Amino acid sequence: MTFAATILTLYPEMFPGPLRTSLAGRALEEQRWSLDTVQIRDFATDRHRTVDDTPAGGGAGMVMKANVLAAAIDHARLHRPECPVLAMTPRGKPITQARIRELSQGSGVTILCGRFEGFDERIFETRDIEEVSVGDIVLSGGEPAALMVLDACIRLLPGVMGAPDSGTEESFENGLLEYPHYTRPQEWEGRTIPEVLRSGDHARIAAWRKQRQEEDTRLRRPDLWELHSGAPVQSASGAQRKKKETDQ
Ligand code: SAH
């Protein structure tokens, strides 16, 4: 099955962009995923092909017009009724690896990319749209966010990554960060690879990795650790202080 990506954007030339190379590029050639871009401007109704207007109530910037967005979304939905529509917006629900995995197991995804100040709010009241954020940062447009979501989905598609487990052992897959990695040389700038990783003792290695996953998650991402363990959150700076104290 081909995973169908449809991108609604004012800048279709930004796609596939970096997804033309490496794993995702090869997977595109092998038709493991397909890409359709929809130029939002094609759905403008006036002769100037206007897609935005000044914000009601005043203020800076421009707002993408509801009627134009709705026409573009309806077109995409008609074409791919089985694909969820995601709108990229800092107001959305932060994307998670669990949601990415679900999306990658579906038939595809339609992604609406904003520009300017964003979308007329009524689009969310009248259309079935999942609002998604890629983090507490502000991009100049939804396109890099869409590339990020797509990249994360594509690498999980069957046959895209070499080893079948390489997707399942990773950060966030079990609610924890991944353990640290090392590779040759055994000694570099006076630092050696932890002895346990050279022991060949698979049970010890697994135990060490699990312990490092737990410790690193607790110290670096107390929010994830709380979800995983049910333990109360300690502030990250407090946690780091504590680690320094114990390291001394
Ligand atoms: N005025 C908005 C920012 C608009 S940025 C605000 O303050 O919230 C322009 C576009 O970039 C948005 O419409 C959205 O599509 C995209 N964008 C910016 N930051 C994003 C983020 N963190 N996640 C997803 N999309 C983002």
Side-chain angles (χ1 to χ4, degrees):
M1 199 180 72
T2 302
F3 181 86
T6 307
I7 311 293
L8 280 52
T9 172
L10 291 170
Y11 297 97
E13 65 276 17
M14 289 177 77
F15 297 88
L19 301 181
R20 190 181 283 116
T21 55
S22 189
L23 280 185
R26 191 168 343 118
L28 184 59
E29 271 169 26
E30 292 168 355
Q31 295 176 17
R32 296 184 196 277
W33 66 289
S34 67
L35 174 69
D36 282 304
T37 53
V38 173
Q39 169 55 273
I40 296 172
R41 198 172 294 281
D42 291 346
F43 297 86
T45 49
D46 63 329
R47 71 189 176 89
H48 299 295
R49 305 221 298 160
T50 310
V51 294
D52 57 340
D53 206 338
T54 53
M62 299 294 273
V63 177
M64 295 179 83
K65 289 165 73 67
N67 63 323
V68 178
L69 292 169
I73 293 165
D74 293 347
H75 166 87
R77 188 153 266 150
L78 202 67
H79 191 57
R80 297 275 181 206
E82 67 290 4
C83 296
V85 177
L86 272 53
M88 299 295 105
T89 163
R91 296 183 49 183
K93 188 172 173 189
I95 191 77
T96 60
Q97 184 63 16
R99 183 66 186 124
I100 292 287
R101 187 164 283 280
E102 271 171 20
L103 290 170
S104 72
Q105 287 164 354
S107 44
V109 66
T110 296
I111 304 183
L112 173 62
C113 303
R115 280 274 154 178
F116 323 119
E117 291 308 317
F119 313 107
D120 185 312
E121 186 66 17
R122 291 169 292 181
I123 201 74
F124 302 115
E125 294 162 8
T126 57
R127 297 294 181 280
D128 184 13
I129 298 173
E130 184 179 331
E131 294 178 63
V132 169
S133 164
V134 296
D136 292 344
I137 57 171
V138 181
L139 302 166
S140 55
E143 290 78 9
L147 288 168
M148 199 167 133
V149 168
L150 267 187
D151 178 89
C153 288
I154 292 162
R155 65 191 284 285
L156 296 180
L157 298 176
V160 173
M161 270 187 304
D165 325 327
S166 48
T168 56
E169 273 227 346
E170 257 150 339
S171 290
F172 314 117
E173 289 289 356
N174 59 0
L176 297 173
L177 302 178
E178 203 184 33
Y179 48 80
H181 297 289
Y182 298 86
T183 188
R184 283 179 285 266
Q186 234 161 68
E187 191 187 329
W188 178 75
E189 293 200 350
R191 289 164 187 273
T192 52
I193 296 175
E195 183 278 325
V196 53
L197 298 180
R198 291 180 275 137
S199 67
D201 180 341
H202 295 297
R204 262 183 76 212
I205 292 171
W208 180 88
R209 286 180 167 168
K210 179 161 182 284
Q211 189 224 322
R212 283 301 307 258
Q213 277 197 288
E214 293 179 351
E215 192 178 311
D216 288 356
T217 307
R218 188 167 51 79
L219 293 172
R220 291 163 186 246
R221 291 292 303 273
D223 55 325
L224 292 181
W225 181 246
E226 184 179 19
L227 286 176
H228 180 81
S229 67
V233 172
Q234 189 184 18
S235 79
S237 55
Q240 307 246 337
R241 252 199 317 279
K242 203 148 187 193
K243 178 163 192 313
K244 285 215 180 89
E245 282 158 16
T246 51
D247 284 351
Q248 277 165 5

PDB file of all heavy atoms in Angstrom, residues 200-215:
ATOM      1  N   GLY A 200      29.980  -8.427  25.766  1.00  0.00           N
ATOM      2  CA  GLY A 200      29.328  -9.518  25.035  1.00  0.00           C
ATOM      3  C   GLY A 200      28.220 -10.187  25.844  1.00  0.00           C
ATOM      4  O   GLY A 200      27.576 -11.128  25.375  1.00  0.00           O
ATOM      5  N   ASP A 201      27.979  -9.696  27.058  1.00  0.00           N
ATOM      6  CA  ASP A 201      26.954 -10.286  27.944  1.00  0.00           C
ATOM      7  C   ASP A 201      25.628  -9.567  27.672  1.00  0.00           C
ATOM      8  O   ASP A 201      25.393  -8.468  28.165  1.00  0.00           O
ATOM      9  CB  ASP A 201      27.436 -10.111  29.396  1.00  0.00           C
ATOM     10  CG  ASP A 201      26.459 -10.680  30.405  1.00  0.00           C
ATOM     11  OD1 ASP A 201      25.278 -10.878  30.071  1.00  0.00           O
ATOM     12  OD2 ASP A 201      26.911 -10.913  31.545  1.00  0.00           O
ATOM     13  N   HIS A 202      24.785 -10.195  26.881  1.00  0.00           N
ATOM     14  CA  HIS A 202      23.582  -9.496  26.392  1.00  0.00           C
ATOM     15  C   HIS A 202      22.625  -9.104  27.500  1.00  0.00           C
ATOM     16  O   HIS A 202      21.998  -8.052  27.432  1.00  0.00           O
ATOM     17  CB  HIS A 202      22.883 -10.331  25.318  1.00  0.00           C
ATOM     18  CG  HIS A 202      23.738 -10.481  24.101  1.00  0.00           C
ATOM     19  ND1 HIS A 202      24.111  -9.407  23.336  1.00  0.00           N
ATOM     20  CD2 HIS A 202      24.344 -11.563  23.560  1.00  0.00           C
ATOM     21  CE1 HIS A 202      24.905  -9.820  22.361  1.00  0.00           C
ATOM     22  NE2 HIS A 202      25.068 -11.140  22.478  1.00  0.00           N
ATOM     23  N   ALA A 203      22.562  -9.941  28.540  1.00  0.00           N
ATOM     24  CA  ALA A 203      21.652  -9.613  29.649  1.00  0.00           C
ATOM     25  C   ALA A 203      22.152  -8.381  30.397  1.00  0.00           C
ATOM     26  O   ALA A 203      21.379  -7.467  30.713  1.00  0.00           O
ATOM     27  CB  ALA A 203      21.528 -10.806  30.594  1.00  0.00           C
ATOM     28  N   ARG A 204      23.466  -8.327  30.633  1.00  0.00           N
ATOM     29  CA  ARG A 204      24.033  -7.143  31.319  1.00  0.00           C
ATOM     30  C   ARG A 204      23.873  -5.899  30.461  1.00  0.00           C
ATOM     31  O   ARG A 204      23.599  -4.816  30.969  1.00  0.00           O
ATOM     32  CB  ARG A 204      25.524  -7.364  31.604  1.00  0.00           C
ATOM     33  CG  ARG A 204      25.805  -7.836  33.032  1.00  0.00           C
ATOM     34  CD  ARG A 204      27.311  -7.950  33.260  1.00  0.00           C
ATOM     35  NE  ARG A 204      27.953  -6.658  33.452  1.00  0.00           N
ATOM     36  CZ  ARG A 204      29.197  -6.358  33.085  1.00  0.00           C
ATOM     37  NH1 ARG A 204      29.947  -7.260  32.486  1.00  0.00           N
ATOM     38  NH2 ARG A 204      29.699  -5.163  33.319  1.00  0.00           N
ATOM     39  N   ILE A 205      24.089  -6.058  29.171  1.00  0.00           N
ATOM     40  CA  ILE A 205      23.961  -4.909  28.274  1.00  0.00           C
ATOM     41  C   ILE A 205      22.523  -4.384  28.315  1.00  0.00           C
ATOM     42  O   ILE A 205      22.286  -3.181  28.449  1.00  0.00           O
ATOM     43  CB  ILE A 205      24.387  -5.280  26.833  1.00  0.00           C
ATOM     44  CG1 ILE A 205      25.891  -5.559  26.809  1.00  0.00           C
ATOM     45  CG2 ILE A 205      24.017  -4.175  25.841  1.00  0.00           C
ATOM     46  CD1 ILE A 205      26.394  -6.136  25.498  1.00  0.00           C
ATOM     47  N   ALA A 206      21.575  -5.293  28.236  1.00  0.00           N
ATOM     48  CA  ALA A 206      20.159  -4.886  28.254  1.00  0.00           C
ATOM     49  C   ALA A 206      19.830  -4.177  29.566  1.00  0.00           C
ATOM     50  O   ALA A 206      19.132  -3.153  29.582  1.00  0.00           O
ATOM     51  CB  ALA A 206      19.258  -6.096  28.046  1.00  0.00           C
ATOM     52  N   ALA A 207      20.361  -4.702  30.677  1.00  0.00           N
ATOM     53  CA  ALA A 207      20.080  -4.094  31.988  1.00  0.00           C
ATOM     54  C   ALA A 207      20.695  -2.691  32.060  1.00  0.00           C
ATOM     55  O   ALA A 207      20.076  -1.745  32.547  1.00  0.00           O
ATOM     56  CB  ALA A 207      20.620  -4.978  33.104  1.00  0.00           C
ATOM     57  N   TRP A 208      21.925  -2.551  31.563  1.00  0.00           N
ATOM     58  CA  TRP A 208      22.604  -1.242  31.565  1.00  0.00           C
ATOM     59  C   TRP A 208      21.824  -0.244  30.717  1.00  0.00           C
ATOM     60  O   TRP A 208      21.596   0.898  31.123  1.00  0.00           O
ATOM     61  CB  TRP A 208      24.028  -1.411  31.016  1.00  0.00           C
ATOM     62  CG  TRP A 208      24.819  -0.127  30.974  1.00  0.00           C
ATOM     63  CD1 TRP A 208      25.584   0.399  31.974  1.00  0.00           C
ATOM     64  CD2 TRP A 208      24.917   0.788  29.874  1.00  0.00           C
ATOM     65  NE1 TRP A 208      26.148   1.584  31.552  1.00  0.00           N
ATOM     66  CE2 TRP A 208      25.762   1.841  30.283  1.00  0.00           C
ATOM     67  CE3 TRP A 208      24.373   0.817  28.582  1.00  0.00           C
ATOM     68  CZ2 TRP A 208      26.083   2.918  29.443  1.00  0.00           C
ATOM     69  CZ3 TRP A 208      24.686   1.894  27.746  1.00  0.00           C
ATOM     70  CH2 TRP A 208      25.531   2.923  28.174  1.00  0.00           C
ATOM     71  N   ARG A 209      21.374  -0.695  29.548  1.00  0.00           N
ATOM     72  CA  ARG A 209      20.636   0.216  28.666  1.00  0.00           C
ATOM     73  C   ARG A 209      19.330   0.665  29.306  1.00  0.00           C
ATOM     74  O   ARG A 209      18.969   1.835  29.232  1.00  0.00           O
ATOM     75  CB  ARG A 209      20.376  -0.462  27.316  1.00  0.00           C
ATOM     76  CG  ARG A 209      21.647  -0.533  26.498  1.00  0.00           C
ATOM     77  CD  ARG A 209      21.416  -1.201  25.165  1.00  0.00           C
ATOM     78  NE  ARG A 209      22.569  -0.973  24.307  1.00  0.00           N
ATOM     79  CZ  ARG A 209      22.788  -1.610  23.170  1.00  0.00           C
ATOM     80  NH1 ARG A 209      21.939  -2.535  22.756  1.00  0.00           N
ATOM     81  NH2 ARG A 209      23.847  -1.319  22.439  1.00  0.00           N
ATOM     82  N   LYS A 210      18.644  -0.276  29.931  1.00  0.00           N
ATOM     83  CA  LYS A 210      17.366   0.064  30.565  1.00  0.00           C
ATOM     84  C   LYS A 210      17.595   1.085  31.688  1.00  0.00           C
ATOM     85  O   LYS A 210      16.884   2.083  31.802  1.00  0.00           O
ATOM     86  CB  LYS A 210      16.718  -1.215  31.114  1.00  0.00           C
ATOM     87  CG  LYS A 210      15.397  -0.973  31.805  1.00  0.00           C
ATOM     88  CD  LYS A 210      14.599  -2.272  31.895  1.00  0.00           C
ATOM     89  CE  LYS A 210      13.244  -2.060  32.544  1.00  0.00           C
ATOM     90  NZ  LYS A 210      13.341  -1.911  34.000  1.00  0.00           N
ATOM     91  N   GLN A 211      18.653   0.839  32.453  1.00  0.00           N
ATOM     92  CA  GLN A 211      18.944   1.747  33.567  1.00  0.00           C
ATOM     93  C   GLN A 211      19.279   3.147  33.043  1.00  0.00           C
ATOM     94  O   GLN A 211      18.816   4.157  33.575  1.00  0.00           O
ATOM     95  CB  GLN A 211      20.102   1.155  34.360  1.00  0.00           C
ATOM     96  CG  GLN A 211      20.379   1.872  35.665  1.00  0.00           C
ATOM     97  CD  GLN A 211      21.865   2.074  35.850  1.00  0.00           C
ATOM     98  OE1 GLN A 211      22.672   1.187  35.485  1.00  0.00           O
ATOM     99  NE2 GLN A 211      22.245   3.219  36.369  1.00  0.00           N
ATOM    100  N   ARG A 212      20.072   3.205  31.956  1.00  0.00           N
ATOM    101  CA  ARG A 212      20.425   4.518  31.394  1.00  0.00           C
ATOM    102  C   ARG A 212      19.208   5.219  30.801  1.00  0.00           C
ATOM    103  O   ARG A 212      19.059   6.426  30.910  1.00  0.00           O
ATOM    104  CB  ARG A 212      21.521   4.369  30.326  1.00  0.00           C
ATOM    105  CG  ARG A 212      22.901   4.160  30.903  1.00  0.00           C
ATOM    106  CD  ARG A 212      23.360   5.290  31.809  1.00  0.00           C
ATOM    107  NE  ARG A 212      23.268   6.594  31.187  1.00  0.00           N
ATOM    108  CZ  ARG A 212      24.297   7.264  30.684  1.00  0.00           C
ATOM    109  NH1 ARG A 212      25.506   6.762  30.753  1.00  0.00           N
ATOM    110  NH2 ARG A 212      24.122   8.449  30.133  1.00  0.00           N
ATOM    111  N   GLN A 213      18.314   4.438  30.187  1.00  0.00           N
ATOM    112  CA  GLN A 213      17.087   5.029  29.633  1.00  0.00           C
ATOM    113  C   GLN A 213      16.288   5.700  30.742  1.00  0.00           C
ATOM    114  O   GLN A 213      15.804   6.813  30.597  1.00  0.00           O
ATOM    115  CB  GLN A 213      16.198   3.938  29.030  1.00  0.00           C
ATOM    116  CG  GLN A 213      16.562   3.535  27.648  1.00  0.00           C
ATOM    117  CD  GLN A 213      15.405   2.782  27.020  1.00  0.00           C
ATOM    118  OE1 GLN A 213      15.143   1.641  27.398  1.00  0.00           O
ATOM    119  NE2 GLN A 213      14.728   3.396  26.088  1.00  0.00           N
ATOM    120  N   GLU A 214      16.172   4.969  31.861  1.00  0.00           N
ATOM    121  CA  GLU A 214      15.357   5.490  32.958  1.00  0.00           C
ATOM    122  C   GLU A 214      16.007   6.713  33.582  1.00  0.00           C
ATOM    123  O   GLU A 214      15.362   7.727  33.815  1.00  0.00           O
ATOM    124  CB  GLU A 214      15.132   4.377  33.997  1.00  0.00           C
ATOM    125  CG  GLU A 214      14.276   3.276  33.397  1.00  0.00           C
ATOM    126  CD  GLU A 214      14.000   2.115  34.334  1.00  0.00           C
ATOM    127  OE1 GLU A 214      14.610   2.055  35.434  1.00  0.00           O
ATOM    128  OE2 GLU A 214      13.184   1.259  33.950  1.00  0.00           O
ATOM    129  N   GLU A 215      17.314   6.608  33.804  1.00  0.00           N
ATOM    130  CA  GLU A 215      18.015   7.710  34.458  1.00  0.00           C
ATOM    131  C   GLU A 215      18.015   8.960  33.568  1.00  0.00           C
ATOM    132  O   GLU A 215      17.731  10.065  34.024  1.00  0.00           O
ATOM    133  CB  GLU A 215      19.442   7.238  34.697  1.00  0.00           C
ATOM    134  CG  GLU A 215      20.252   8.101  35.611  1.00  0.00           C
ATOM    135  CD  GLU A 215      21.636   7.466  35.793  1.00  0.00           C
ATOM    136  OE1 GLU A 215      21.693   6.240  36.086  1.00  0.00           O
ATOM    137  OE2 GLU A 215      22.629   8.174  35.597  1.00  0.00           O
TER     138      GLU A 215
END
